[in-house]
Amino acid sequence: MSLKYTIAPFSAWLQAVSKPFTVPVTGGPRPGAPRYRGWHINDVEKCIGCGTCSAICQNEAIDMVPVDDPVVGDSGLRPKIDYGRCCWCALCVDVCPSGSLGMSNEYVWADTDADVFRYIPGVDEKPWDDSELGWRREEGFELVDHDRVPMGMLDPDERTQTWAEVVIGYTEEQARVEASRCVDCGLCVAACPAHMHIPDYIGAIRDGDDARAVQIIYDNNAMPEMCGKVCTRRCESVCSIGVQGDPLAIRWLKRYATERFDNLAEVLQPQVERVGEGRTVAVIGGGPSGLTVAYYLAIRGFEVTVHEALPQVGGATFFGIPRYRFPMSSLEKQVDLLKSAGVKFVLNHRVDGDELTRMLAENDAVFMGVGLMKPMALRAPGEDLPGVIPALDMLREQNLGHEVDVGEKVVVVGGGNVAIDASRISRRLGAEVTIAYRRRVVDMPADDEEIEDAEAEGVEIVTQAIPLRVEATEDGKLDFVWGPAEMVQEEEGKRPRPKLIEGVENHLVVDRVIVAIGQGPDLDWLPTEISEKICNKWGYIEVDETGMTAVEGLYAGGDLVNDTADAISAIADGLRAVNGIVDKTRAQHV
Amino acid sequence: MTEQTALERRVQLWFGPQHPGITGNMAVQAWLEGDTLTSGVTHVGYLHRGFEKLMERRKFIQSFPIVCRICVPEPDTNEWLLAASIEELSGLDKEVPEKARWIRTLFLEMSRLSSMLMVLGGHVGAMGLGTAPNWLITLRDYILDRFEELTGARVYHMYVTYGGVRRDLPEGFAERLEANLQEIESKLPLVDNVIFDSAVFRKRAIGVGVVPEEWVDELGLTGPIVRAMGIARDTRTDYPYEKYGELDIEPMTTTGSDIFARAWMRRLEIAQSIDLIRQILAKMPTEGPYSAKLPNMLTWTIPAGETYVRAEASRGEMGYYVVTDGSDKIRRVHVRGPSYVHGVTLLERLMPGTNIADLSALMVSLQVCPPEIER
Ligand SMILES: Cc1cc2nc3c(=O)[nH]c(=O)nc-3n(C[C@H](O)[C@H](O)[C@H](O)COP(=O)(O)OP(=O)(O)OC[C@H]3O[C@@H](n4cnc5c(N)ncnc54)[C@H](O)[C@@H]3O)c2cc1C
Ligand code: SF4
Ligand code: SF4
């Protein structure tokens, strides 16, 4: 072997006088890289307690623990990390729908107490809480799907020429994809007045089991096809995916599932205890609350009769909501199920005070869900002129199939769903339509999508417009006079109020002024001894936590009880009464 | 003195699992006559976690934090193989952006480089020479610095995902990596002096641990072991994946098939790797997304199917055979790591006749990574 190989290794000694390979570090550990995956941090104000972080963690290192009372849209839980399990993969950070969770670039922490290595980031104070550096969620890299499957709709021009349903509905494939976006956090369940089992039925749709989905839906909603088409969807407003992306199309998925089956009775074979065998219940008013009570009591063996003043049940969803949103066939399908469950209907029958007293005596329980039938007046001079009509009357006539004439030009006063419906119906009747609303578009109680749809159909919206008076013109038309308003913030935290700017008058000459500024209870027919017990000073009915009024055996619900006045709240009220009646019946069995 | 019988002269010796000369958490049960092995058996099981089985219980995304544990010094091949196999079965492979493919190629080559720097030091470390391993571990650490800023972690990167990678290259990354490469290049001649020009290493490595060519196909040998016997086999060129097909790359070989040749092979491949990283940085697009749009990772399901995907790890061909059944989890995965054949079948064949003092160096030259055997 050559001498070279003996000598060469000694060149290593040269290192003794050269720059070392290693990098000298002084003053403690060097900071982690800017995107280092160190100890967790959490912006607890931004965190919604959805638990998605916990769901993705393959090491089960995250427990969701209560730190606050739950509110709608926030479970009050926050992630607690167990560093005996965590492997610092940061999947939790990358999946966090609110973007609140992150990691600091701190990586050194020593302690003799092993328990400290389980903490709630953002709640249990740590030196790195304000760390600017470390691993964060990054836009452009999402582990969840932010994009909703778009819903097919009729072309706006086509819509005004027809009464056909505007929304086309998801295909099977679209529904499966949309359903797969759900992260199963359940925040929606808490937000839904009826607490429908949303992630469960969405999961069933995702897994291709539509029948199962419908069964779950019917756990606590007997009018789901209606809700699938017109619900105010409080659920979607708290969807965790909606924080940074499009919320799940919960309403459309429910619609999809229920529309899959023509004969619901075949799909639903409810397995419930028939506690009501031999008992009778009378329901006054065939709106969503009354129908809910009827269905869930009937399947439990109660003999239920629904008394309805109109020729068809459905309540405001029959006489108010237009057919292009909620077609008759959908309503009939749901009513057929009630019939198959044994519910009896007495139609065209308006219950009066005497009959109510009789019903109370003859039945085990009576449920009243008669809704809000009295339209609010315009309260401006000229409100009684012919041609100034309540939206509710116009919609009822239309839905009952009677001839409705709104002329060539109308103004609709109001900003809720009723106003939007009246304006879109008027467009379909061929009129030019203007909505006059007191506040701004953002303040409109109507559903955003409804507002968009109305505008797409050619409805013009004039905001901050206060009606001053209506005058009859010489050529038989109406002059709608309105004044502009400015928005004033009177109290901190309250929504701004419109204030009339004096001295300016605008004129809109129209054939009809359609008034849609709300409706109130119409309970004059109640016997005084009952009404003074159950009504509050605004004329609404008050109930306890079982849904019962101060009159023994008299239950109530729906618009005339709750202050949210939408279909799902009416359904929730109905469910409350069902539980109340069932519990009471059970107690009597013992 | 009475003559001892052959049996009486035989000594049974456990080499490992607690022995600095063993490659990772494994053990060799050796039988010796004098200081020569008559036979040996490889024992594993010291870090069995059931990687493959665990993956059957996890959503697809949740397997990334496990697969990197299948090889500590070079976890990234595993990440890539998992991503590539599931992408192929799901059809997501068509959506992986161009830039992500380049970043992945860079990432895989950095991984090979850092692993080879470590094992080259191991070659002489196993003979009791401490200087080169210390230097080489430091050089490897330079690359780990870059991994840290790229992926957020030094060792278990969890950086490749379905559809691309998790983050873009940080500002100025290429320049800092180039500086590291230059630093490494400048130190390599020193390393050569104390390894390849060292009489100790040469005497103990040349002609020791020779692997006959006939065993290559019989046992399924791959990687530097076969290239060190002059056979130009390399998954990167034979079955190019990601952007390897667009690089100027020739499989390197040397001859001798002994410990020395295998060390030299790694030395050549270190240089090759540095060259490839430079090519990648030059060719890589600077604009564009680094990840495809992903479906919801908590509910993602994949059609039923099966595939085998392979890549060239620094140890040889690494492959994943993956079966899916249409659900949200892998039905079966089989990790084909080179260490099984090299560390069990081949090592057990080579042990008879080997001097006990050479066993450690032999194992390093086969670059055995035990978790890959256990899976
Ligand atoms: C035009 C319009 C659009 C709407 N759009 C939506 C929407 O998009 N989404 C949504 O969630 N909600 C909407 N709502 C509100 C929703 O329809 C109501 O909140 C819901 O129908 C209230 O249900 P309820 O059970 O209180 O009874 P109601 O639906 O109000 O029904 C009460 C029923 O009782 C009957 N009745 C009254 N008095 C008697 C009596 N003495 N004897 C017998 N029967 C009687 C009435 O004829 C009526 O059928 C809309 C309402 C209207 C008017
Ligand atoms: S995923 Fe994010 S928002 Fe949801 S609980 Fe965890 S930290 Fe909070
Ligand atoms: S970093 Fe990974 S292991 Fe740690 S809590 Fe988050 S998801 Fe779990």
Side-chain angles (χ1 to χ4, degrees), chain A residues 302-330:
Chain A
F302 290 87
E303 204 176 292
V304 188
T305 311
V306 177
H307 304 264
E308 167 56 54
L310 293 176
Q312 165 70 283
V313 288
T317 69
F318 160 69
F319 70 76
I321 296 177
R323 302 284 183 260
Y324 61 81
R325 289 211 282 139
F326 181 46
M328 205 52 201
S329 55
S330 287

PDB file of all heavy atoms in Angstrom, chain A residues 302-330:
ATOM      1  N   PHE A 302    -101.559   8.486  19.054  1.00  0.00           N
ATOM      2  CA  PHE A 302    -102.627   9.442  19.369  1.00  0.00           C
ATOM      3  C   PHE A 302    -103.577   9.553  18.167  1.00  0.00           C
ATOM      4  O   PHE A 302    -103.138   9.421  17.019  1.00  0.00           O
ATOM      5  CB  PHE A 302    -102.055  10.835  19.659  1.00  0.00           C
ATOM      6  CG  PHE A 302    -101.294  10.939  20.958  1.00  0.00           C
ATOM      7  CD1 PHE A 302     -99.939  10.627  21.003  1.00  0.00           C
ATOM      8  CD2 PHE A 302    -101.932  11.357  22.122  1.00  0.00           C
ATOM      9  CE1 PHE A 302     -99.225  10.734  22.189  1.00  0.00           C
ATOM     10  CE2 PHE A 302    -101.213  11.466  23.307  1.00  0.00           C
ATOM     11  CZ  PHE A 302     -99.867  11.161  23.338  1.00  0.00           C
ATOM     12  N   GLU A 303    -104.808   9.835  18.467  1.00  0.00           N
ATOM     13  CA  GLU A 303    -105.759  10.090  17.391  1.00  0.00           C
ATOM     14  C   GLU A 303    -105.811  11.607  17.209  1.00  0.00           C
ATOM     15  O   GLU A 303    -106.257  12.320  18.112  1.00  0.00           O
ATOM     16  CB  GLU A 303    -107.127   9.570  17.814  1.00  0.00           C
ATOM     17  CG  GLU A 303    -108.025   9.245  16.662  1.00  0.00           C
ATOM     18  CD  GLU A 303    -109.322   8.654  17.193  1.00  0.00           C
ATOM     19  OE1 GLU A 303    -109.265   7.520  17.735  1.00  0.00           O
ATOM     20  OE2 GLU A 303    -110.337   9.361  17.104  1.00  0.00           O
ATOM     21  N   VAL A 304    -105.316  12.087  16.077  1.00  0.00           N
ATOM     22  CA  VAL A 304    -105.145  13.530  15.909  1.00  0.00           C
ATOM     23  C   VAL A 304    -106.048  14.053  14.798  1.00  0.00           C
ATOM     24  O   VAL A 304    -106.118  13.476  13.713  1.00  0.00           O
ATOM     25  CB  VAL A 304    -103.679  13.882  15.558  1.00  0.00           C
ATOM     26  CG1 VAL A 304    -103.473  15.393  15.572  1.00  0.00           C
ATOM     27  CG2 VAL A 304    -102.702  13.202  16.502  1.00  0.00           C
ATOM     28  N   THR A 305    -106.729  15.155  15.074  1.00  0.00           N
ATOM     29  CA  THR A 305    -107.533  15.819  14.044  1.00  0.00           C
ATOM     30  C   THR A 305    -107.036  17.256  13.894  1.00  0.00           C
ATOM     31  O   THR A 305    -106.896  17.983  14.880  1.00  0.00           O
ATOM     32  CB  THR A 305    -109.027  15.859  14.433  1.00  0.00           C
ATOM     33  OG1 THR A 305    -109.404  14.544  14.833  1.00  0.00           O
ATOM     34  CG2 THR A 305    -109.885  16.325  13.282  1.00  0.00           C
ATOM     35  N   VAL A 306    -106.754  17.622  12.636  1.00  0.00           N
ATOM     36  CA  VAL A 306    -106.292  18.986  12.359  1.00  0.00           C
ATOM     37  C   VAL A 306    -107.452  19.784  11.788  1.00  0.00           C
ATOM     38  O   VAL A 306    -108.106  19.348  10.831  1.00  0.00           O
ATOM     39  CB  VAL A 306    -105.116  18.965  11.342  1.00  0.00           C
ATOM     40  CG1 VAL A 306    -104.689  20.386  10.990  1.00  0.00           C
ATOM     41  CG2 VAL A 306    -103.947  18.157  11.886  1.00  0.00           C
ATOM     42  N   HIS A 307    -107.716  20.936  12.395  1.00  0.00           N
ATOM     43  CA  HIS A 307    -108.794  21.823  11.923  1.00  0.00           C
ATOM     44  C   HIS A 307    -108.176  23.020  11.228  1.00  0.00           C
ATOM     45  O   HIS A 307    -107.390  23.745  11.823  1.00  0.00           O
ATOM     46  CB  HIS A 307    -109.645  22.288  13.117  1.00  0.00           C
ATOM     47  CG  HIS A 307    -110.199  21.138  13.898  1.00  0.00           C
ATOM     48  ND1 HIS A 307    -111.465  20.642  13.706  1.00  0.00           N
ATOM     49  CD2 HIS A 307    -109.642  20.363  14.871  1.00  0.00           C
ATOM     50  CE1 HIS A 307    -111.663  19.613  14.522  1.00  0.00           C
ATOM     51  NE2 HIS A 307    -110.569  19.429  15.242  1.00  0.00           N
ATOM     52  N   GLU A 308    -108.545  23.193   9.965  1.00  0.00           N
ATOM     53  CA  GLU A 308    -107.905  24.251   9.181  1.00  0.00           C
ATOM     54  C   GLU A 308    -108.970  25.111   8.491  1.00  0.00           C
ATOM     55  O   GLU A 308    -109.885  24.585   7.854  1.00  0.00           O
ATOM     56  CB  GLU A 308    -106.948  23.610   8.146  1.00  0.00           C
ATOM     57  CG  GLU A 308    -106.446  24.530   7.056  1.00  0.00           C
ATOM     58  CD  GLU A 308    -105.752  25.791   7.556  1.00  0.00           C
ATOM     59  OE1 GLU A 308    -104.807  25.678   8.360  1.00  0.00           O
ATOM     60  OE2 GLU A 308    -106.164  26.903   7.149  1.00  0.00           O
ATOM     61  N   ALA A 309    -108.811  26.430   8.594  1.00  0.00           N
ATOM     62  CA  ALA A 309    -109.795  27.356   8.019  1.00  0.00           C
ATOM     63  C   ALA A 309    -109.775  27.347   6.491  1.00  0.00           C
ATOM     64  O   ALA A 309    -110.803  27.542   5.846  1.00  0.00           O
ATOM     65  CB  ALA A 309    -109.520  28.771   8.528  1.00  0.00           C
ATOM     66  N   LEU A 310    -108.617  27.114   5.901  1.00  0.00           N
ATOM     67  CA  LEU A 310    -108.492  27.164   4.439  1.00  0.00           C
ATOM     68  C   LEU A 310    -108.773  25.788   3.826  1.00  0.00           C
ATOM     69  O   LEU A 310    -108.805  24.783   4.543  1.00  0.00           O
ATOM     70  CB  LEU A 310    -107.086  27.633   4.065  1.00  0.00           C
ATOM     71  CG  LEU A 310    -106.753  29.095   4.436  1.00  0.00           C
ATOM     72  CD1 LEU A 310    -105.298  29.400   4.111  1.00  0.00           C
ATOM     73  CD2 LEU A 310    -107.674  30.063   3.699  1.00  0.00           C
ATOM     74  N   PRO A 311    -108.938  25.757   2.501  1.00  0.00           N
ATOM     75  CA  PRO A 311    -109.229  24.454   1.869  1.00  0.00           C
ATOM     76  C   PRO A 311    -108.024  23.509   1.827  1.00  0.00           C
ATOM     77  O   PRO A 311    -108.134  22.389   1.323  1.00  0.00           O
ATOM     78  CB  PRO A 311    -109.650  24.835   0.448  1.00  0.00           C
ATOM     79  CG  PRO A 311    -109.209  26.225   0.241  1.00  0.00           C
ATOM     80  CD  PRO A 311    -109.101  26.882   1.576  1.00  0.00           C
ATOM     81  N   GLN A 312    -106.910  23.938   2.328  1.00  0.00           N
ATOM     82  CA  GLN A 312    -105.694  23.100   2.241  1.00  0.00           C
ATOM     83  C   GLN A 312    -104.834  23.408   3.463  1.00  0.00           C
ATOM     84  O   GLN A 312    -104.776  24.563   3.904  1.00  0.00           O
ATOM     85  CB  GLN A 312    -104.951  23.447   0.930  1.00  0.00           C
ATOM     86  CG  GLN A 312    -103.523  22.973   0.812  1.00  0.00           C
ATOM     87  CD  GLN A 312    -103.392  21.456   0.668  1.00  0.00           C
ATOM     88  OE1 GLN A 312    -103.519  20.726   1.646  1.00  0.00           O
ATOM     89  NE2 GLN A 312    -103.157  21.005  -0.551  1.00  0.00           N
ATOM     90  N   VAL A 313    -104.178  22.390   4.002  1.00  0.00           N
ATOM     91  CA  VAL A 313    -103.253  22.663   5.105  1.00  0.00           C
ATOM     92  C   VAL A 313    -101.898  23.112   4.548  1.00  0.00           C
ATOM     93  O   VAL A 313    -101.669  23.105   3.353  1.00  0.00           O
ATOM     94  CB  VAL A 313    -103.050  21.428   6.021  1.00  0.00           C
ATOM     95  CG1 VAL A 313    -104.286  21.166   6.844  1.00  0.00           C
ATOM     96  CG2 VAL A 313    -102.593  20.221   5.232  1.00  0.00           C
ATOM     97  N   GLY A 314    -101.011  23.493   5.449  1.00  0.00           N
ATOM     98  CA  GLY A 314     -99.688  24.013   5.046  1.00  0.00           C
ATOM     99  C   GLY A 314     -99.443  25.366   5.687  1.00  0.00           C
ATOM    100  O   GLY A 314     -98.309  25.790   5.842  1.00  0.00           O
ATOM    101  N   GLY A 315    -100.550  26.040   6.047  1.00  0.00           N
ATOM    102  CA  GLY A 315    -100.392  27.352   6.668  1.00  0.00           C
ATOM    103  C   GLY A 315     -99.732  28.323   5.707  1.00  0.00           C
ATOM    104  O   GLY A 315    -100.013  28.297   4.500  1.00  0.00           O
ATOM    105  N   ALA A 316     -98.850  29.166   6.240  1.00  0.00           N
ATOM    106  CA  ALA A 316     -98.215  30.169   5.396  1.00  0.00           C
ATOM    107  C   ALA A 316     -97.398  29.531   4.283  1.00  0.00           C
ATOM    108  O   ALA A 316     -97.163  30.133   3.247  1.00  0.00           O
ATOM    109  CB  ALA A 316     -97.332  31.090   6.229  1.00  0.00           C
ATOM    110  N   THR A 317     -96.962  28.271   4.480  1.00  0.00           N
ATOM    111  CA  THR A 317     -96.209  27.630   3.400  1.00  0.00           C
ATOM    112  C   THR A 317     -97.147  27.229   2.264  1.00  0.00           C
ATOM    113  O   THR A 317     -96.691  26.951   1.163  1.00  0.00           O
ATOM    114  CB  THR A 317     -95.435  26.388   3.894  1.00  0.00           C
ATOM    115  OG1 THR A 317     -96.358  25.359   4.222  1.00  0.00           O
ATOM    116  CG2 THR A 317     -94.579  26.711   5.109  1.00  0.00           C
ATOM    117  N   PHE A 318     -98.447  27.191   2.556  1.00  0.00           N
ATOM    118  CA  PHE A 318     -99.420  26.951   1.475  1.00  0.00           C
ATOM    119  C   PHE A 318     -99.946  28.264   0.912  1.00  0.00           C
ATOM    120  O   PHE A 318     -99.904  28.512  -0.278  1.00  0.00           O
ATOM    121  CB  PHE A 318    -100.592  26.096   1.986  1.00  0.00           C
ATOM    122  CG  PHE A 318    -101.818  26.215   1.130  1.00  0.00           C
ATOM    123  CD1 PHE A 318    -101.814  25.688  -0.159  1.00  0.00           C
ATOM    124  CD2 PHE A 318    -102.957  26.870   1.584  1.00  0.00           C
ATOM    125  CE1 PHE A 318    -102.933  25.816  -0.980  1.00  0.00           C
ATOM    126  CE2 PHE A 318    -104.075  27.003   0.769  1.00  0.00           C
ATOM    127  CZ  PHE A 318    -104.064  26.478  -0.511  1.00  0.00           C
ATOM    128  N   PHE A 319    -100.407  29.142   1.820  1.00  0.00           N
ATOM    129  CA  PHE A 319    -101.077  30.345   1.271  1.00  0.00           C
ATOM    130  C   PHE A 319    -100.123  31.522   1.081  1.00  0.00           C
ATOM    131  O   PHE A 319    -100.453  32.491   0.417  1.00  0.00           O
ATOM    132  CB  PHE A 319    -102.272  30.756   2.144  1.00  0.00           C
ATOM    133  CG  PHE A 319    -101.898  31.314   3.497  1.00  0.00           C
ATOM    134  CD1 PHE A 319    -101.397  32.613   3.616  1.00  0.00           C
ATOM    135  CD2 PHE A 319    -102.031  30.558   4.651  1.00  0.00           C
ATOM    136  CE1 PHE A 319    -101.052  33.129   4.861  1.00  0.00           C
ATOM    137  CE2 PHE A 319    -101.689  31.065   5.889  1.00  0.00           C
ATOM    138  CZ  PHE A 319    -101.184  32.354   5.995  1.00  0.00           C
ATOM    139  N   GLY A 320     -98.925  31.457   1.658  1.00  0.00           N
ATOM    140  CA  GLY A 320     -98.020  32.593   1.576  1.00  0.00           C
ATOM    141  C   GLY A 320     -96.887  32.360   0.584  1.00  0.00           C
ATOM    142  O   GLY A 320     -96.735  33.090  -0.394  1.00  0.00           O
ATOM    143  N   ILE A 321     -96.128  31.317   0.829  1.00  0.00           N
ATOM    144  CA  ILE A 321     -94.927  31.069   0.006  1.00  0.00           C
ATOM    145  C   ILE A 321     -95.327  30.702  -1.422  1.00  0.00           C
ATOM    146  O   ILE A 321     -96.168  29.829  -1.636  1.00  0.00           O
ATOM    147  CB  ILE A 321     -94.080  29.953   0.641  1.00  0.00           C
ATOM    148  CG1 ILE A 321     -93.580  30.427   2.012  1.00  0.00           C
ATOM    149  CG2 ILE A 321     -92.913  29.575  -0.262  1.00  0.00           C
ATOM    150  CD1 ILE A 321     -92.797  29.404   2.797  1.00  0.00           C
ATOM    151  N   PRO A 322     -94.771  31.399  -2.412  1.00  0.00           N
ATOM    152  CA  PRO A 322     -95.172  31.142  -3.799  1.00  0.00           C
ATOM    153  C   PRO A 322     -94.758  29.754  -4.289  1.00  0.00           C
ATOM    154  O   PRO A 322     -93.801  29.170  -3.804  1.00  0.00           O
ATOM    155  CB  PRO A 322     -94.424  32.223  -4.590  1.00  0.00           C
ATOM    156  CG  PRO A 322     -93.986  33.231  -3.585  1.00  0.00           C
ATOM    157  CD  PRO A 322     -93.818  32.511  -2.300  1.00  0.00           C
ATOM    158  N   ARG A 323     -95.481  29.291  -5.269  1.00  0.00           N
ATOM    159  CA  ARG A 323     -95.260  27.938  -5.803  1.00  0.00           C
ATOM    160  C   ARG A 323     -93.910  27.768  -6.501  1.00  0.00           C
ATOM    161  O   ARG A 323     -93.416  26.661  -6.612  1.00  0.00           O
ATOM    162  CB  ARG A 323     -96.372  27.580  -6.781  1.00  0.00           C
ATOM    163  CG  ARG A 323     -97.755  27.629  -6.174  1.00  0.00           C
ATOM    164  CD  ARG A 323     -98.022  26.419  -5.295  1.00  0.00           C
ATOM    165  NE  ARG A 323     -99.393  26.484  -4.806  1.00  0.00           N
ATOM    166  CZ  ARG A 323     -99.739  26.916  -3.597  1.00  0.00           C
ATOM    167  NH1 ARG A 323     -98.813  27.280  -2.735  1.00  0.00           N
ATOM    168  NH2 ARG A 323    -101.006  26.983  -3.242  1.00  0.00           N
ATOM    169  N   TYR A 324     -93.348  28.856  -7.018  1.00  0.00           N
ATOM    170  CA  TYR A 324     -92.053  28.700  -7.696  1.00  0.00           C
ATOM    171  C   TYR A 324     -90.941  28.412  -6.686  1.00  0.00           C
ATOM    172  O   TYR A 324     -89.832  28.039  -7.049  1.00  0.00           O
ATOM    173  CB  TYR A 324     -91.699  29.928  -8.564  1.00  0.00           C
ATOM    174  CG  TYR A 324     -91.568  31.221  -7.776  1.00  0.00           C
ATOM    175  CD1 TYR A 324     -90.387  31.513  -7.085  1.00  0.00           C
ATOM    176  CD2 TYR A 324     -92.619  32.141  -7.734  1.00  0.00           C
ATOM    177  CE1 TYR A 324     -90.275  32.677  -6.344  1.00  0.00           C
ATOM    178  CE2 TYR A 324     -92.505  33.295  -6.993  1.00  0.00           C
ATOM    179  CZ  TYR A 324     -91.339  33.556  -6.299  1.00  0.00           C
ATOM    180  OH  TYR A 324     -91.227  34.693  -5.556  1.00  0.00           O
ATOM    181  N   ARG A 325     -91.246  28.615  -5.396  1.00  0.00           N
ATOM    182  CA  ARG A 325     -90.285  28.224  -4.364  1.00  0.00           C
ATOM    183  C   ARG A 325     -90.669  26.891  -3.733  1.00  0.00           C
ATOM    184  O   ARG A 325     -89.816  26.100  -3.370  1.00  0.00           O
ATOM    185  CB  ARG A 325     -90.232  29.298  -3.271  1.00  0.00           C
ATOM    186  CG  ARG A 325     -89.569  30.575  -3.700  1.00  0.00           C
ATOM    187  CD  ARG A 325     -88.878  31.245  -2.516  1.00  0.00           C
ATOM    188  NE  ARG A 325     -89.786  31.954  -1.635  1.00  0.00           N
ATOM    189  CZ  ARG A 325     -89.689  31.935  -0.309  1.00  0.00           C
ATOM    190  NH1 ARG A 325     -88.752  31.204   0.283  1.00  0.00           N
ATOM    191  NH2 ARG A 325     -90.524  32.629   0.432  1.00  0.00           N
ATOM    192  N   PHE A 326     -91.959  26.711  -3.573  1.00  0.00           N
ATOM    193  CA  PHE A 326     -92.437  25.518  -2.875  1.00  0.00           C
ATOM    194  C   PHE A 326     -93.698  25.019  -3.565  1.00  0.00           C
ATOM    195  O   PHE A 326     -94.802  25.445  -3.258  1.00  0.00           O
ATOM    196  CB  PHE A 326     -92.719  25.878  -1.410  1.00  0.00           C
ATOM    197  CG  PHE A 326     -93.201  24.721  -0.586  1.00  0.00           C
ATOM    198  CD1 PHE A 326     -92.559  23.479  -0.648  1.00  0.00           C
ATOM    199  CD2 PHE A 326     -94.279  24.862   0.269  1.00  0.00           C
ATOM    200  CE1 PHE A 326     -93.012  22.418   0.121  1.00  0.00           C
ATOM    201  CE2 PHE A 326     -94.733  23.800   1.052  1.00  0.00           C
ATOM    202  CZ  PHE A 326     -94.099  22.576   0.967  1.00  0.00           C
ATOM    203  N   PRO A 327     -93.517  24.110  -4.519  1.00  0.00           N
ATOM    204  CA  PRO A 327     -94.654  23.690  -5.343  1.00  0.00           C
ATOM    205  C   PRO A 327     -95.647  22.838  -4.560  1.00  0.00           C
ATOM    206  O   PRO A 327     -95.320  22.211  -3.565  1.00  0.00           O
ATOM    207  CB  PRO A 327     -94.012  22.883  -6.469  1.00  0.00           C
ATOM    208  CG  PRO A 327     -92.653  22.552  -6.009  1.00  0.00           C
ATOM    209  CD  PRO A 327     -92.264  23.498  -4.926  1.00  0.00           C
ATOM    210  N   MET A 328     -96.849  22.852  -5.074  1.00  0.00           N
ATOM    211  CA  MET A 328     -97.955  22.134  -4.440  1.00  0.00           C
ATOM    212  C   MET A 328     -97.649  20.646  -4.292  1.00  0.00           C
ATOM    213  O   MET A 328     -97.990  20.016  -3.288  1.00  0.00           O
ATOM    214  CB  MET A 328     -99.192  22.328  -5.326  1.00  0.00           C
ATOM    215  CG  MET A 328    -100.487  22.209  -4.623  1.00  0.00           C
ATOM    216  SD  MET A 328    -100.568  23.265  -3.159  1.00  0.00           S
ATOM    217  CE  MET A 328    -101.841  22.411  -2.312  1.00  0.00           C
ATOM    218  N   SER A 329     -96.985  20.071  -5.293  1.00  0.00           N
ATOM    219  CA  SER A 329     -96.717  18.629  -5.243  1.00  0.00           C
ATOM    220  C   SER A 329     -95.872  18.275  -4.017  1.00  0.00           C
ATOM    221  O   SER A 329     -96.075  17.240  -3.383  1.00  0.00           O
ATOM    222  CB  SER A 329     -96.016  18.176  -6.519  1.00  0.00           C
ATOM    223  OG  SER A 329     -94.857  18.959  -6.716  1.00  0.00           O
ATOM    224  N   SER A 330     -94.921  19.154  -3.675  1.00  0.00           N
ATOM    225  CA  SER A 330     -94.072  18.905  -2.501  1.00  0.00           C
ATOM    226  C   SER A 330     -94.911  18.919  -1.239  1.00  0.00           C
ATOM    227  O   SER A 330     -94.743  18.086  -0.349  1.00  0.00           O
ATOM    228  CB  SER A 330     -93.012  20.003  -2.363  1.00  0.00           C
ATOM    229  OG  SER A 330     -92.020  19.871  -3.322  1.00  0.00           O
TER     230      SER A 330
END
